[in-house]
Amino acid sequence: MKDTFHETAVVASLAPAVVTATTKGSHADLQGYGSALMVVNTGAIAEDGDYSIAIQHSDTTTDGDFDQVDAADLLGSLPATLEASTVYRQGYIGKKRYVRAVITKAGGTSIAAGAVFVLGHPAMAPVA
């Protein structure tokens, strides 16, 4: 069995919570890592909630500097509307230093969701 415990780090972007509005997650710093995978976990959705999630990236941690990631810098796709009690993943292969998850509300009341980034291919292993 291969060891992924010492070869990856996990950074929370959106702590699991009930989301009622468009919400920007905290950033993950990719310095020292060669790959990033966003993992999203959803729970209950209230009153026909219509929420989507995306990865944004930036070379700084300044909120206004984050932009949507171009499709060419993503691996896999995410649905236009998140489903309840589902796990999604999307890879990032862009060149920016910071990434974050953003949930966007298009309608409904709320969604329970969280997102983490799994950082891999570290420049120095094992990861502490």
Side-chain angles (χ1 to χ4, degrees):
M1 179 71 61
K2 294 192 179 217
D3 171 17
T4 58
F5 181 83
H6 292 100
E7 299 294 325
T8 60
V10 180
V11 178
S13 183
L14 290 166
V18 174
V19 177
T20 59
T22 295
T23 304
K24 299 171 186 173
S26 57
H27 66 272
D29 188 348
L30 305 182
Q31 186 172 30
Y33 293 92
S35 63
L37 177 72
M38 180 177 68
V39 179
V40 179
N41 193 9
T42 64
I45 298 174
E47 297 186 31
D48 298 325
D50 184 1
Y51 291 82
S52 62
I53 193 161
I55 299 174
Q56 292 183 338
H57 62 172
S58 176
D59 283 323
T60 75
T61 59
T62 303
D63 181 54
D65 291 347
F66 279 85
D67 293 314
Q68 294 296 111
V69 178
D70 292 332
D73 288 333
L74 296 170
L75 299 174
S77 61
L78 296 168
T81 299
L82 298 173
E83 297 289 328
S85 303
T86 305
V87 176
Y88 301 98
R89 67 185 186 137
Q90 186 169 49
Y92 173 75
I93 56 172
K95 304 294 184 211
K96 304 280 184 174
R97 179 171 172 180
Y98 302 98
V99 291
R100 70 179 181 190
V102 176
I103 290 183
T104 302
K105 178 182 178 178
T109 302
S110 66
I111 184 171
V116 299
F117 283 95
V118 179
L119 310 181
H121 302 94
M124 296 201 47
V127 175

